[in-house]
Amino acid sequence: MALRTIVKEGDNILLKKCRIVEKFDKKLWELLDDMAETLHEANGAGLAAPQVGVLKRVCIGHVSEDDDVIERINPQLIAT
């Protein structure tokens, strides 16, 4: 696992469209592990792949303080 740099507001990567994840391979699991470590180090609640410079539809987050990280691959909003 490795810490990744969190992209800040104003970076153009945050305006780009992410690619759908089609391949569930070692690289994806490494990305998820890196994101979890980065989220923990930043003491954050959630993190999306573009926030660490990767244009994939992947995000992770906590439901509450005590919960483990929940990983979401190709998430979709179905209601607001």
Side-chain angles (χ1 to χ4, degrees):
M1 293 193 304
L3 286 177
R4 300 215 179 193
T5 302
I6 297 177
V7 174
K8 304 295 184 197
E9 186 176 356
D11 192 303
N12 287 336
I13 197 165
L14 299 176
L15 303 175
K16 295 182 179 181
K17 186 173 181 176
C18 293
R19 295 182 302 278
I20 293 173
V21 175
E22 296 178 356
K23 190 174 182 182
F24 289 71
D25 58 7
K26 184 178 177 181
K27 286 180 72 173
L28 177 62
W29 302 125
E30 287 174 1
L31 171 64
L32 290 167
D33 288 344
D34 290 354
M35 288 174 63
E37 184 175 353
T38 302
L39 179 66
H40 177 73
E41 185 68 25
N43 199 27
L47 190 63
Q51 291 176 285
V52 292
V54 179
L55 287 174
K56 290 188 178 184
R57 292 185 185 178
V58 174
C59 62
I60 63 171
H62 296 281
V63 175
S64 71
E65 277 187 33
D66 298 331
D67 286 337
D68 290 331
V69 172
I70 295 174
E71 301 168 342
R72 294 172 184 93
I73 311 299
N74 298 325
Q76 295 180 1
L77 291 175
I78 54 173
T80 60

